[in-house]
Amino acid sequence: MQMRYYRIENDNSIIDRWFLTEPVTLDAATEIDFWPYLAGRRVPDPGSPLNIQIQRPGPELRFTLAGFDIPVVVSDLVESMAKIDPQGIQSVAVLVGGQQKYRMAVATRCVSCIDETKSRFTKWSEKDQRPDKVGQYRMFTRLAIDPFRVSRDVHIFRVSGWNIALVVSELMRDAMIAANCRGVVFDLLS
C-alpha cells in the first residue's frame, strides 16, 4: 500500500489562537537567519536557547508554526515525533514567552517530489524583476507530491523547490494525533 503524505499548517479554526514571532537570540538583540531552519538540513547548535515571543496571546498550543512557518513544538511531542523518524528531526531549544517546555522541530531532509502535473503554481519570470529567482516556484495554490519519490523511511521533510512546505507521512501524522498534537491541521497531498 502506498504511503500518504500531509502538509502541516496552522489550525486557524482555533478561536483566539496564539501567534508566535520568529526566533531571535536569547537577549532579543539579534534576529537569526531563519532560512537554514527551513532548508531541510541540520542547523548548527545556537549554543543557548533561542527566544520566541508571543505576538498575540491565546491558548498555548502543542504545535505552532511560528514566524516564517518555523515549527515550535512542546518537548514531549517532538520526542514522540523523533521516535518515528530519528534522522528526520533536529530539536533546538527555545523559550516561548519565557517557558522552557518548547523546542523548534527542524526537518533535516529535503525531498524532490513535487508533482507538477497535479499541482497549481506560478514561477518567477523575468518580468517580475527578480533575476535571482527566475524559474523558481513563486506560489502554489495546490501542492501535490509524487509519493513514489519519497523513501518509505522518511516521515518528515521539507519539499525541495518549495521549502516552506513541511510534510509528514501518515505514520507520523497518526503518532502526532495520538500525542495530542493541538494547533495544526494535516492537509492531504495527493
Side-chain angles (χ1 to χ4, degrees), residues 117-134:
T117 64
K118 294 180 181 175
S119 296
R120 287 193 298 273
F121 58 89
T122 57
K123 288 187 176 183
W124 291 92
S125 70
E126 289 182 21
K127 70 179 181 177
D128 296 317
Q129 298 185 13
R130 286 294 308 266
D132 58 318
K133 293 188 175 274
V134 170

Side-chain angles (χ1 to χ4, degrees), residues 45-170:
D45 183 345
S48 61
L50 296 174
N51 192 26
I52 296 177
Q53 295 297 315
I54 299 171
Q55 183 175 14
R56 185 175 90 187
E60 289 183 20
L61 300 173
R62 292 179 53 77
F63 194 121
T64 301
L65 294 174
F68 301 106
D69 282 352
I70 294 174
V72 177
V73 185
V74 71
S75 296
D76 68 300
L77 178 56
V78 79
E79 290 168 12
S80 296
M81 294 169 68
K83 287 178 184 174
I84 301 294
D85 190 350
Q87 299 304 311
I89 295 179
Q90 177 185 0
S91 178
V92 176
V94 294
L95 295 175
V96 176
Q99 296 184 62
Q100 296 182 6
K101 65 182 181 178
Y102 288 90
R103 312 283 290 179
M104 280 194 315
V106 179
T108 60
R109 292 188 184 109
C110 197
V111 178
S112 178
C113 58
I114 293 173
D115 185 340
E116 287 192 352
T117 64
K118 294 180 181 175
S119 296
R120 287 193 298 273
F121 58 89
T122 57
K123 288 187 176 183
W124 291 92
S125 70
E126 289 182 21
K127 70 179 181 177
D128 296 317
Q129 298 185 13
R130 286 294 308 266
D132 58 318
K133 293 188 175 274
V134 170
Q136 296 177 29
Y137 297 109
R138 182 174 183 175
M139 180 180 66
F140 277 85
T141 55
R142 182 178 192 283
L143 174 64
I145 66 168
D146 179 351
F148 294 104
R149 293 170 57 192
V150 182
S151 175
R152 292 191 61 78
D153 65 338
V154 172
H155 297 284
I156 183 167
F157 59 94
R158 295 282 179 180
V159 175
S160 181
W162 192 247
N163 292 26
I164 199 76
L166 179 62
V167 176
V168 294
S169 69
E170 188 168 20

